Amino acid sequence: MTARPTPGDLLRIDGRASVQFAGGRALTLRVVSVSERHAYDGWIWLTGYVIDGRGNAIAKREVYVQLAGLRPASVAASRGRVRGAIRADRGHSSPRRESGVSSC
């Protein structure tokens, strides 16, 4: 994908987008926002919700990825809904924010 993602896009983020998501660390992300902050040419900051296999949002993440490595995710993952009380059973009222960025 070379086009800039937009809020609502469902993306598969794996090792093609960034080495930190290689192998079993790949994820499906529903884009919430695309940052305007400075990034290296061909790279972008995205904020969104990680979507599980049932289509439910399980965590909010901010990731730094290569545009050329982004792929559309399967439609099956988009059938769920984002729930505000995802972690209510653990005492949290909303998905926790995790940074998907590793230091260079």
Side-chain angles (χ1 to χ4, degrees):
M1 170 181 273
T2 56
R4 188 176 176 89
T6 59
D9 286 352
L10 188 65
L11 303 174
R12 185 67 181 164
I13 299 179
D14 58 19
R16 293 175 286 197
S18 178
V19 69
Q20 67 187 347
F21 299 109
R25 296 175 295 195
L27 56 88
T28 300
L29 187 82
R30 171 75 66 192
V31 177
V32 174
S33 66
V34 180
S35 178
E36 293 296 327
R37 70 181 141 160
H38 177 72
Y40 288 105
D41 189 37
W43 289 76
I44 193 167
W45 285 96
L46 300 174
T47 301
Y49 287 97
V50 177
I51 306 297
D52 69 11
R54 295 184 349 191
N56 295 314
I58 58 172
K60 189 171 185 180
R61 296 278 303 262
E62 183 174 35
V63 297
Y64 186 58
V65 293
Q66 293 183 68
L67 278 171
L70 297 176
R71 304 284 183 266
S74 70
V75 177
S78 68
R79 292 190 180 133
R81 58 187 181 161
V82 175
R83 297 177 294 159
I86 293 169
R87 298 187 184 274
D89 59 326
R90 296 185 196 167
H92 299 284
S93 61
S94 63
R96 73 175 192 259
R97 182 177 178 158
E98 298 176 337
S99 175
V101 180
S102 61
S103 60
C104 296

